[in-house]
Amino acid sequence: MESTVSNKISNLDPDALPTYYVETYEKYLTYMSDQYDSKAIKDCGGINIVDGSSFQKNELLDGEVTIDAEWLIDQNPDYIFIRENTNAAGFNWTEEEAKKELESLIDRPGWENLKAVKNGHVYLYNKCFVRSRSEIGKVYFAKWLHPELFKDLNPDAIHAEYWKEFLDIDLEGLWVYPEPV
């Protein structure tokens, strides 16, 4: 799985990679690429906007970085990834609930002008994709960042195969929103 993503990503021009912002369990709380959620996304063919910024990690809080809303708007990322915070994502999450949550999360001052919002590139994901199943998460993140490059890759099928093979459970529910196309 990881080699499939890394092999294709390695051929991309580093200067042409899209930018992204990843938000964790609280608004404007993120990580640099060597921590938690960002670590799972870093090799998927994008540039984390917080890397190289003047923001400092809070080492007492697992390296969290709190950014300013105005700074995010100035950075204007191509993609935004938001960890689904209510633990609803998964077996019991519906598309209607996910859509409402996404709409409420992007309803912030200035966000209507962000490239990611204008282009429909704001995505919710289940926290399991950055922890216990980060390799599966990488497939989702890579496909969101580079849909043409990974057009033959089906993250949902890979995720379902994992559940069936290792847990003997038929996967159901909604784990990301919107689904990669």
Side-chain angles (χ1 to χ4, degrees):
M1 191 78 48
E2 186 173 354
S3 64
T4 301
V5 171
S6 58
N7 286 343
K8 288 188 176 194
I9 295 300
S10 68
N11 296 323
L12 296 175
D13 177 358
D15 295 327
L17 295 177
T19 58
Y20 68 87
Y21 164 67
V22 57
E23 190 166 88
T24 64
Y25 56 87
E26 190 175 299
K27 289 180 180 178
Y28 302 109
L29 186 66
T30 188
Y31 296 105
M32 292 183 180
S33 290
D34 62 344
Q35 299 284 313
Y36 297 105
D37 296 40
S38 295
K39 192 173 185 177
I41 303 169
K42 78 173 187 166
D43 295 324
C44 295
I47 298 170
N48 185 346
I49 63 168
V50 77
D51 289 348
S53 71
S54 61
F55 294 103
Q56 300 294 312
K57 293 181 196 177
N58 183 337
E59 297 301 338
L60 297 176
L61 296 173
D62 293 329
E64 295 171 351
V65 177
T66 302
I67 64 164
D68 298 322
E70 296 81 17
W71 181 84
L72 175 66
I73 291 167
D74 287 344
Q75 298 307 301
N76 199 12
D78 298 306
Y79 291 82
I80 297 174
F81 303 112
I82 303 173
R83 184 196 309 164
E84 197 287 314
N85 191 31
T86 65
N87 291 323
F91 289 107
N92 300 314
W93 212 25
T94 67
E95 191 167 336
E96 184 179 315
E97 291 168 330
K99 183 178 180 184
K100 270 187 193 176
E101 184 173 348
L102 181 61
E103 288 171 353
S104 73
L105 287 168
I106 62 175
D107 186 21
R108 304 182 205 183
W111 276 47
E112 69 277 1
N113 298 316
L114 292 174
K115 284 186 282 188
V117 174
K118 286 180 179 179
N119 295 325
H121 294 300
V122 182
Y123 303 98
L124 299 175
Y125 63 92
N126 182 288
K127 66 182 174 184
C128 72
F129 292 135
V130 295
R131 305 289 166 103
S132 60
R133 290 179 291 243
S134 64
E135 295 309 314
I136 294 168
K138 285 182 181 188
V139 177
Y140 281 97
F141 293 119
K143 182 135 185 183
W144 278 323
L145 288 165
H146 302 283
E148 286 301 312
L149 186 61
F150 294 101
K151 63 184 170 205
D152 297 331
L153 203 58
N154 183 336
D156 289 335
I158 293 166
H159 190 203
E161 181 182 336
Y162 168 88
W163 276 78
K164 190 64 177 171
E165 183 175 331
F166 295 105
L167 304 172
D168 196 27
I169 297 173
D170 292 325
L171 184 66
E172 296 177 6
L174 186 65
W175 298 79
V176 300
Y177 183 81
E179 300 277 336
V181 290

